[in-house]
Amino acid sequence: MLKHFSKKGFSFALIAILLMGVLAACGTKPAAPETNAQTNGAQPAGEKKPEPAAELTGTVTASGSSALLPLVKQASTEFMEKNPKVTVNVTAGGSGTGLKNVADGTSDIGNSDVAAGDEYKDKGLVDHVVAIAPFALIVNKDVAVDNLTKAQAADIFMGKITNWKEVGGKDEKIVVVHRPESSGSRTLVKQIVLDNKEFTKDGVTQESSGAVATTVGSTAGSIGYVDTPYLNDTIKALKFEGVAFSKDTIKEGKYPLYGIEHMYTKGEAKGAVKAFIDYISSSDFQGKKVEELKFLPADLLKK
């Protein structure tokens, strides 16, 4: 009986063991196939993804040169379209105003036709050259003169020549249209044409290049000076020493009437201010827009 029981018990035990093996096999999960992340080299779980670039925000203020105003305003429009959370406010007032404002911290950027003088040496200003601006001596279209020598132009602006007949024109009084002392354009004419001698006090003074162009266009016998973006069909640009302004005549050193356009910051530019100046200095803007706006690329004279 015991022998018979043992064989029977052994059979039950063997069956139990086999059943346990089958159940264990049924409960085993197959290995998960490799995911795309594993096979395609994606970032393993647990590692941080790179942070997206922060969106530019804030306000940029720029003031100063009215000569540079058309370029900076166009750049600001395009920049704000690309960066809708940035506001760029641009005003004129003259190069002297721009330099004073950026030095005082009133403006983020000071636009100037001339380099900052010695009075700004300890103000921490950083210079960003953004364009070359040709300018021209302009006259009312009734003036029967197309060219002035340097000596003739200097004598007119200093008040020594007061009638157009003295330089080959008709018998007509000359009306000089000035810019104020803070104007970079006035400073350039004083340096290049007058050899730093003083302007006549006679004539009319206008606060901006646009106002000079309008006044010369509407005043018989008048003469002034504006940057070439302000030329229009109501005024006439004179040749200077027999040479008309152009990209080539400036590059070749034949036409001396131009300014180097500066955008000054107090210390190194940062944030939206830096991004705005970088946009104006970019190859895309310099290579196309600058000349469309009648300026010349900043690096023209370096080539």
Side-chain angles (χ1 to χ4, degrees):
M1 178 97 178
L2 180 60
K3 184 175 180 180
H4 177 72
F5 178 80
S6 296
K7 287 182 179 180
K8 190 175 181 179
F10 176 77
S11 297
F12 278 119
L14 182 59
I15 291 169
I17 291 170
L18 290 173
L19 285 171
M20 289 175 65
V22 171
L23 290 172
C26 291
T28 302
K29 293 182 180 179
E34 288 186 328
T35 64
N36 287 339
Q38 292 169 320
T39 57
N40 295 338
Q43 187 171 301
E47 291 188 18
K48 291 184 178 180
K49 294 182 180 180
E51 292 290 333
E55 187 175 13
L56 282 174
T57 61
T59 300
V60 178
T61 55
S63 63
S65 166
S66 67
L68 190 55
L69 188 65
L71 184 143
V72 181
K73 288 193 76 170
Q74 178 63 35
S76 69
T77 298
E78 296 179 12
F79 184 77
M80 287 189 288
E81 288 174 354
K82 295 175 183 294
N83 300 277
K85 292 189 177 179
V86 177
T87 300
V88 182
N89 295 321
V90 184
T91 57
S95 298
T97 298
L99 289 168
K100 182 178 184 302
N101 286 350
V102 72
D104 293 346
T106 306
S107 295
D108 298 312
I109 299 170
N111 300 323
S112 178
D113 308 327
V114 295
D118 290 344
E119 66 269 33
Y120 294 104
K121 279 187 175 180
D122 61 348
K123 301 297 184 181
L125 300 188
V126 177
D127 187 8
H128 310 270
V129 175
V130 295
I132 293 170
F135 64 90
L137 307 183
I138 59 169
V139 293
N140 184 273
K141 293 188 82 171
D142 77 334
V143 173
V145 171
D146 298 315
N147 173 71
L148 288 175
T149 66
K150 177 179 176 179
Q152 289 171 332
D155 283 348
I156 288 173
F157 286 119
M158 289 189 293
K160 294 180 180 180
I161 293 176
T162 59
N163 193 298
W164 285 111
K165 69 181 180 181
E166 298 177 66
V167 290
K170 59 188 178 183
D171 185 4
E172 184 175 34
K173 180 184 176 181
I174 295 173
V175 179
V176 177
V177 182
H178 300 281
R179 290 292 309 284
E181 294 283 351
S182 62
S183 163
S185 297
R186 178 185 173 111
T187 300
L188 288 171
V189 172
K190 184 176 180 179
Q191 292 172 349
I192 298 169
V193 181
L194 278 66
D195 292 327
N196 285 315
K197 294 172 184 171
E198 295 301 322
F199 283 91
T200 178
K201 295 187 183 302
D202 294 331
V204 179
T205 299
Q206 294 292 354
E207 291 297 321
S208 69
S209 296
V212 170
T214 299
T215 301
V216 171
S218 60
T219 306
S222 59
I223 183 172
Y225 44 87
V226 294
D227 290 78
T228 56
Y230 290 93
L231 295 178
N232 59 60
D233 59 7
T234 70
I235 54 182
K236 179 169 62 175
L238 299 179
K239 292 180 180 179
F240 185 74
E241 294 282 356
V243 179
F245 83 89
S246 72
K247 181 178 181 178
D248 289 338
T249 56
I250 289 175
K251 187 174 181 179
E252 293 165 5
K254 296 176 181 178
Y255 187 85
L257 306 182
Y258 62 86
I260 306 296
E261 297 300 319
H262 310 262
M263 295 179 76
Y264 282 96
T265 56
K266 191 165 188 176
E268 294 295 338
K270 298 178 182 178
V273 175
K274 180 180 186 303
F276 180 52
I277 293 174
D278 286 347
Y279 180 75
I280 293 177
S281 304
S282 69
S283 57
D284 284 346
F285 192 82
Q286 288 285 317
K288 185 178 180 182
K289 288 293 183 180
V290 166
E291 291 193 50
E292 285 182 2
L293 294 166
K294 300 181 181 178
F295 291 84
L296 295 173
D299 63 353
L300 176 72
L301 301 180
K302 297 178 182 178
K303 296 179 180 177

